[in-house]
C-alpha cells in the first residue's frame, strides 16, 4: 500500500494526503492507497500546489506505517528530530533510537 | 569590522523587497513551486524535513554583539529558540515559516546581514581563519581580502550561474585553521620574497562524493592582483566546467581532468590577457576596507599577567579551561577564547537564544564587541585581556558555556544529518552525542589530546568527514543506518583525505570502536606530546584499523 506525503507550503511541515482535497498534519490520518491507484492519486494531490510542496508516495504496511528505506526518514519527519524532543512533535518515543543506551526524551543540555 | 556603505545598504534593501514580493506571489499562487524554488534558494531558504531552513551568511565568520543579539531575536521570535552554527561559519534556522521570511530578512538587514548566496551555483559566503587579526602565528590579517572578495562576488553577473556552487577560504597564518586546501579556491596570504604580501593559490580542493586536496596552482601571486586572478580562474571554470553531470560539475573535477599544470596554464593565460585590460583593484579601496579591520585599541600589557597566572594556579577548573580553550594572541597580555558549542550530550553547533545573548554581552564587555564563528562549529571571543579571563570564564561557566574541550575528542563536527536534512541518509548528531558521552571525562580527554572527529550523514560531506582524523560517514543500507569510518584525514596545512577502513558499523557499535582506536593510540604513542594524527602517520593505519574492526585492544 502507499500513502502520499508532502511539505506544507506555508510552514514546510510534513503533511499527509487524507483524501480528495484534504491534507492532515498526522501520519495516522494519511489515506492508504492501493498501488494501482497511487500515480493518479499523486497527480491529484500534486495539483494542490497552494497547499502542498514536493508531494511523493511512500510505501506503507497494512496499518499505514512506512516500510523499507523510508521507514526511519518518515518516522523522523512524522515525529520530529530524535535528538531534541523540545522542538519536535508529539510522541518522540515512536522514533527508533539510534543507540541502545539513548533515551529519546532525554534533555540535550 | 566592516560597515555597510550606501551600495551595500541599497543592494540588501532591494533584494529583500524583491524576495518579499516573490514570497507574496508564491503564496497567492501566481508563482509555481518550480518557478519559486530557485528564487528561494538564491535567498538561502531551503525546504528540509520538518520546515523551511534559512541559512544566514556570516561573512568570514565575523559578528558583533548587536548582530548576535539580532540572531538570538530571530531564534526567539521566528524559530524554536535556537540556531545552528555550521561548518561554513554561517547560522541556520531550522523551523522557519515561509510567510515570516520577509520580516526575518528585514530584521537581518537592520544589522547589516542577509541570506544571499548561501545557496545556489554562485560564489558562496567566503570563509576565513577564525582567529584572523588575533592569532600570534599570523603574517597579515586576511579579512580585508575576504571582504574584498565578498564585495566582488556579491551578485557578480558573470558568476551567478556557475556550473556548481563555489567556495573560497582565506588564511593569513602559518597554521591553516580555515581548511583552505579543501575549498574550490584556497588562499594563503604570506610574505613574498621581498616581504610584500602574496597569495599561495590552491584550486580544486573539496570534499563531497569525490574528495580532493586542492593542488597549488599559483604561488606568490601579488596580493593586489587577487581579484584579477580569481576572475581568470572563475572564467576558466565557467568556460570548461561540466554542466551536463551534477556529480562532475565542481571545479575540482575540472582541475583533476585537465591536470593541475594544464589548468594552471589556462588560468595564467587568461590572467595575463586580463591584466592589460583589468588593472589591479585601486589601492585606496583596499585601504578603505582595511581601515574597518584596524586592530582594536589594545592596552600595552605584560605578556604574562601575574594575576592571571595566580588564578590559574588557584583554580584547577579555570586552569583546565585555559589549557584547551585559549589561543595565543599577537598582542601581549591578550588571548583568544574558544566558546565550545559542544557540551557533552548537546548538539554540535546549536546555540540557544539565551546563550547567544549571554555571549553577545560578554563580547561587548571583554572582546571589543567581536565574536567569530569557527568552521568547527564553535564561537570565539578573539581579543580578551588575560586579566579578564577569570571573570569571563566564571560568566561562561554560569551560562553553561565553559565546556573545556576545544580541540579535544568531544569537540566533534557533525552535520544536521537525518534529524533535519532532506539529503541525509543517516543521523549524525546522535553519533556525535554518544561519542562525546563516552569521552565525557575531561581529564581523560585532555590526556588523550587533540583528536578531530568529523561526522557527515551523507556523501555530500557537510560534516567534513574526509578531513577528520577519524571521519564518520552515515550510509543507508536497506533502511538501516550504518557508519563507515575513515582514518587519517586532516584539514590543516598538511591537508589529507582520510582512508576508508573496512565495512560500515551499525551506530550502537561506534562508541566502542572509537574507544578501541583511542586505546590503541594510547598504548602505541611515543609520549603524550605525540598527537593521535602524528602516531597514525608514523605507524600507518593498520594497527588502528585492526583495533577498530577486530575489537583487539
Amino acid at each position: 500500500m502507499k500513502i502520499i506525503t508532502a511539505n506544507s507550503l506555508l510552514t514546510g511541515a510534513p503533511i499527509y494526503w487524507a483524501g480528495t482535497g484534504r491534507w492532515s498534519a498526522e501520519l495516522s490520518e494519511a489515506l492508504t492507497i492501493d498501488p494501482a491507484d497511487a500515480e493518479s492519486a499523486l497527480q491529484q494531490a500534486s495539483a494542490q500546489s497552494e497547499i502542498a510542496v514536493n508531494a511523493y508516495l511512500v510505501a506503507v504496511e497494512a496499518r499505514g506505517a512506512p516500510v523499507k528505506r523510508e521507514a526511519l526518514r518518515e518516522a523522523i519527519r512524522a515525529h520530529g528530530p530524535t535528538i531534541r524532543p523540545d522542538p519536535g512533535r508529539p510522541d518522540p518515543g515512536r522514533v527508533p533510537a539510534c543507540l541502545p543506551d539513548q533515551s529519546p526524551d532525554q534533555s540535550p543540555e | 569590522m566592516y560597515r555597510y556603505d550606501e551600495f551595500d545598504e541599497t543592494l540588501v534593501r532591494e533584494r529583500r523587497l524583491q524576495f518579499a514580493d516573490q514570497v507574496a506571489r508564491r503564496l497567492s499562487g501566481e508563482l509555481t513551486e518550480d518557478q519559486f524554488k530557485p528564487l528561494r534558494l538564491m535567498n538561502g531558504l531551503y525546504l528540509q524535513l520538518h520546515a523551511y531552513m534559512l541559512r544566514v551568511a556570516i561573512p568570514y565568520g565575523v559578528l558583533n554583539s548587536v548582530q548576535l543579539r539580532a540572531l538570538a531575536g530571530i531564534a526567539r521570535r521566528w524559530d524554536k529558540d535556537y540556531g545552528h552554527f555550521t561548518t561554513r561559519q554561517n547560522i541556520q534556522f531550522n523551523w522557519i515559516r515561509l510567510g515570516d521570511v520577509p520580516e526575518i530578512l528585514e530584521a537581518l538587514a537592520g544589522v547589516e546581514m542577509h541570506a544571499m548566496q548561501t545557496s545556489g551555483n554562485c560564489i558562496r559566503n567566503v570563509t576565513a581563519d577564525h582567529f584572523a587579526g588575533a592569532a600570534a602565528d599570523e603574517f597579515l590579517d586576511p579579512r580585508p581580502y575576504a571582504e574584498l572578495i565578498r564585495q566582488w562576488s556579491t551578485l557578480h553577473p558573470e558568476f551567478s550561474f556557475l556550473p556548481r556552487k563555489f567556495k573560497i577560504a582565506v588564511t593569513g597564518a602559518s597554521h591553516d585553521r580555515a581548511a583552505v586546501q579543501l575549498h574550490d579556491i584556497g588562499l594563503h596570504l604570506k610574505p613574498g620574497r621581498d616581504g610584500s604580501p602574496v597569495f599561495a593559490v590552491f584550486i580544486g580542493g573539496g570534499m563531497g562524493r569525490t574528495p580532493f586536496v586542492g593542488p597549488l596552482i599559483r604561488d606568490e601571486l601579488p596580493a593586489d592582483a587577487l581579484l584579477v586572478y580569481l576572475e581568470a580562474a572563475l572564467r576558466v571554470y565557467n568556460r570548461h566546467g561540466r554542466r551536463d553531470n551534477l556529480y562532475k560539475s565542481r571545479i575540482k573535477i575540472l582541475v583533476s581532468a585537465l591536470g593541475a599544470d594544464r589548468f594552471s596554464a589556462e588560468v595564467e593565460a587568461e590572467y595575463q590577457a586580463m591584466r592589460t585590460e583589468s588593472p589591479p583593484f585601486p589601492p585606496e579601496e583596499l585601504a578603505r576596507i582595511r581601515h574597518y579591520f584596524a586592530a582594536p585599541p589594545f592596552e600595552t600589557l605584560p605578556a604574562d599577567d601575574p594575576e592571571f597566572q595566580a588564578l590559574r594556579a588557584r583554580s584547577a577548573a579555570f586552569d583546565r579551561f585555559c589549557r584547551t580553550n585559549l589561543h595565543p594572541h599577537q598582542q601581549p597580555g591578550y588571548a583568544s577564547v574558544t566558546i565550545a558549542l559542544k557540551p557533552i550530550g548537546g548538539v554540535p553547533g546549536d546555540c540557544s537564544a539565551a546563550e547567544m545573548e549571554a555571549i553577545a554581552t560578554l563580547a561587548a564587555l571583554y572582546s571589543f564587541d567581536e565574536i567569530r564563528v569557527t568552521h568547527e562549529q564553535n564561537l570565539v571571543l578573539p581579543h580578551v585581556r588575560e586579566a579578564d579571563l577569570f571573570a569571563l570564564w566564571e560568566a561562561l561557566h554560569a551560562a553553561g558555556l565553559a565546556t573545556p574541550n576545544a580541540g579535544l575528542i568531544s569537540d566533534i563536527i557533525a552535520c544536521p544529518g537525518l534529524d533535519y536534512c532532506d539529503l541525509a541518509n543517516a543521523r549524525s548528531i546522535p553519533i556525535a552525542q554518544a561519542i562525546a558521552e563516552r569521552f565525557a571525562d575531561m581529564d581523560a580527554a585532555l590526556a588523550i589530546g587533540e583528536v578531530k572527529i568529523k561526522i557527515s550523514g551523507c556523501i555530500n560531506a557537510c560534516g567534513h568527514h574526509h578531513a577528520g582524523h577519524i571521519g564518520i560517514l552515515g550510509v543507508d543500507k536497506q533502511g538501516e543506518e550504518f557508519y563507515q569510518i575513515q582514518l587519517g584525514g586532516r584539514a590543516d596545512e598538511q591537508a589529507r583525505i582520510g582512508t576508508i577502513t573496512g565495512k560500515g558499523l551499525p551506530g550502537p557499535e561506534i562508541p566502542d570502536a572509537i574507544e578501541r582506536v583511542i586505546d590503541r593510540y594510547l598504548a602505541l604513542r611515543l609520549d603524550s606530546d605525540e598527537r593521535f594524527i602524528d602516531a597514525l602517520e608514523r605507524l600507518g593505519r593498520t594497527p588502528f584499523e585492526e583495533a577498530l574492526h577486530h575489537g583487539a585492544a
Side-chain angles (χ1 to χ4, degrees):
Chain A
M1 300 297 280
K2 304 271 186 183
I3 59 168
I4 297 171
T5 184
N7 290 77
S8 153
L9 171 66
L10 287 177
T11 66
I15 49 174
Y16 303 91
W17 200 57
T20 314
R22 213 167 74 77
W23 290 87
S24 168
E26 299 304 323
L27 172 60
S28 58
E29 292 184 14
L31 183 75
T32 48
I33 307 161
D34 191 279
D37 303 326
E39 282 303 327
S40 65
L42 181 62
Q43 271 186 11
Q44 260 188 65
S46 300
Q48 292 184 294
S49 66
E50 74 288 2
I51 298 173
V53 179
N54 295 345
Y56 61 93
L57 294 164
V58 179
V60 293
E61 58 168 26
R63 284 173 302 161
V67 292
K68 296 185 189 165
R69 256 188 90 107
E70 288 80 19
L72 178 60
R73 176 191 156 90
E74 291 304 327
I76 291 172
R77 284 183 78 239
H79 306 298
T82 60
I83 36 88
R84 291 190 75 118
D86 48 322
R89 303 202 300 157
D91 200 5
R94 285 161 65 188
V95 180
C98 181
L99 302 167
D101 57 350
Q102 185 194 34
S103 154
D105 57 0
Q106 143 191 49
S107 172
E109 289 169 25
Chain B
M1 63 187 283
Y2 183 74
R3 300 302 311 267
Y4 276 12
D5 61 17
E6 61 188 291
F7 299 106
D8 296 303
E9 271 172 27
T10 305
L11 185 143
V12 170
R13 187 182 66 246
E14 288 180 351
R15 182 60 171 265
R16 178 171 62 73
L17 294 173
Q18 181 189 51
F19 189 56
D21 179 58
Q22 289 160 347
V23 169
R25 286 157 64 208
R26 175 67 185 103
L27 291 173
S28 74
E30 196 182 326
L31 289 179
T32 66
E33 186 59 22
D34 285 347
Q35 290 167 326
F36 181 65
K37 185 177 174 183
L39 302 175
R40 72 169 158 75
L41 287 176
M42 285 162 82
N43 291 282
L45 190 65
Y46 290 72
L47 187 51
Q48 296 286 36
L49 292 185
H50 311 290
Y52 290 94
M53 180 272 280
L54 183 67
R55 184 180 292 155
V56 176
I58 300 176
Y60 33 92
V62 175
L63 287 169
N64 62 28
S65 64
V66 172
Q67 290 173 320
L68 189 55
R69 277 182 196 286
L71 296 175
I74 289 168
R76 192 163 270 144
R77 180 164 173 200
W78 290 293
D79 200 280
K80 295 195 175 187
D81 226 25
Y82 69 101
H84 176 75
F85 289 101
T86 76
T87 53
R88 298 275 310 138
Q89 296 180 308
N90 290 324
I91 188 169
Q92 295 180 174
F93 293 105
N94 291 309
W95 300 92
I96 297 301
R97 295 165 62 95
L98 179 58
D100 292 336
V101 175
E103 268 189 282
I104 297 172
L105 295 181
E106 192 176 348
L108 287 171
V111 293
E112 303 187 349
M113 297 184 82
H114 60 72
M116 285 185 276
Q117 294 190 198
T118 59
S119 175
N121 295 337
C122 55
I123 301 173
R124 302 285 188 89
N125 183 36
V126 58
T127 53
D129 180 1
H130 44 264
F131 293 131
D137 67 341
E138 183 175 87
F139 159 64
L140 198 61
D141 187 348
R143 289 173 302 165
Y145 294 98
E147 172 56 27
L148 200 64
I149 294 168
R150 185 193 73 79
Q151 294 189 17
W152 161 78
S153 63
T154 299
L155 305 188
H156 193 304
E158 188 177 340
F159 306 132
S160 292
F161 296 95
L162 292 167
R164 197 76 179 89
K165 59 187 168 183
F166 204 91
K167 300 173 182 175
I168 301 176
V170 198
T171 183
S174 52
H175 178 47
D176 179 8
R177 290 171 287 265
V180 301
Q181 295 177 45
L182 294 165
H183 283 73
D184 294 290
I185 293 185
L187 299 167
H188 179 202
L189 185 59
K190 60 182 187 174
R193 277 169 215 161
D194 63 354
S196 59
V198 296
F199 283 104
V201 183
F202 300 89
I203 307 185
M207 291 184 261
R209 186 175 298 268
T210 320
F212 285 105
V213 171
L216 180 66
I217 295 296
R218 177 70 140 85
D219 203 6
E220 307 222 343
L221 175 76
D224 65 359
L226 177 65
L227 293 189
V228 182
Y229 193 82
L230 290 182
E231 201 148 316
L234 266 295
R235 270 191 189 174
V236 170
Y237 173 50
N238 226 356
R239 192 183 302 143
H240 298 301
R242 289 184 62 171
R243 292 169 190 270
D244 61 322
N245 183 337
L246 186 68
Y247 301 127
K248 296 188 174 178
S249 54
R250 295 289 289 266
I251 195 172
K252 61 190 174 185
I253 304 295
L254 176 66
V255 174
S256 166
L258 290 179
D261 289 346
R262 202 175 136 208
F263 178 82
S264 173
E266 291 247 1
V267 176
E268 196 63 26
E270 186 72 35
Y271 169 61
Q272 295 301 341
M274 287 172 66
R275 274 176 80 185
T276 51
E277 51 196 70
S278 316
F281 48 80
E284 59 273 18
E285 181 56 17
L286 183 63
R288 185 184 76 85
I289 291 173
R290 192 169 271 145
H291 171 75
Y292 289 110
F293 298 98
F298 292 124
E299 293 170 46
T300 305
L301 297 168
D304 281 307
D305 182 78
E307 180 66 9
F308 163 59
Q309 296 301 345
L311 286 163
R312 277 186 78 160
R314 238 181 293 156
S315 165
F318 176 53
D319 181 63
R320 182 63 204 72
F321 177 83
C322 292
R323 282 175 181 225
T324 45
N325 292 43
L326 298 192
H327 191 267
H329 201 284
Q330 51 195 238
Q331 181 72 21
Y334 286 80
S336 300
V337 177
T338 298
I339 301 170
L341 300 179
K342 312 289 171 63
I344 302 301
V347 177
D350 273 13
C351 196
S352 70
E355 288 168 340
M356 287 186 232
E357 284 161 351
I359 293 166
T361 299
L362 295 172
L365 267 176
Y366 297 121
S367 185
F368 297 97
D369 208 34
E370 271 195 49
I371 304 108
R372 306 287 173 77
V373 183
T374 83
H375 84 269
E376 293 180 326
Q377 300 180 286
N378 294 320
L379 297 181
V380 162
L381 300 186
H383 314 294
V384 182
R385 287 194 325 166
E386 286 181 352
D388 291 332
L389 285 168
F390 188 76
L392 170 63
W393 171 73
E394 282 187 312
L396 288 172
H397 201 267
L401 288 164
T403 312
N405 63 348
L408 300 183
I409 193 164
S410 53
D411 184 3
I412 298 169
I413 290 181
C415 72
L418 190 56
D419 279 297
Y420 293 95
C421 178
D422 190 39
L423 299 174
N425 292 319
R427 286 174 285 177
S428 306
I429 295 167
I431 299 295
Q433 290 173 325
I435 296 170
E437 276 161 12
R438 180 62 61 92
F439 295 97
D441 181 329
M442 290 296 163
D443 292 324
L446 185 63
I448 293 165
E450 181 189 287
V451 181
K452 293 189 182 289
I453 297 183
K454 307 188 181 192
I455 309 174
S456 304
C458 79
I459 194 66
N460 292 307
C462 295
H464 293 190
H465 66 277
H466 291 300
H469 298 168
I470 301 174
I472 301 176
L473 166 65
V475 294
D476 173 283
K477 249 181 169 175
Q478 290 157 351
E480 278 185 65
E481 296 166 298
F482 275 78
Y483 295 87
Q484 277 179 357
I485 299 185
Q486 298 184 193
L487 290 173
R490 55 195 293 177
D492 60 5
E493 58 282 3
Q494 297 175 57
R496 188 168 304 140
I497 304 298
T499 307
I500 296 174
T501 65
K503 57 180 188 179
L505 299 173
E509 291 182 22
I510 296 292
D512 284 346
I514 302 297
E515 192 172 14
R516 289 196 299 273
V517 171
I518 295 303
D519 286 346
R520 180 61 61 92
Y521 153 67
L522 292 173
L524 295 177
R525 70 181 179 184
L526 295 173
D527 55 40
S528 59
D529 287 338
E530 189 181 44
R531 297 173 306 167
F532 174 76
I533 188 68
D534 301 328
L536 186 66
E537 290 180 3
R538 177 174 60 83
L539 295 161
R541 69 173 196 279
T542 309
F544 301 98
E545 194 168 345
E546 203 177 87
L548 192 61
H549 288 290
H550 303 298

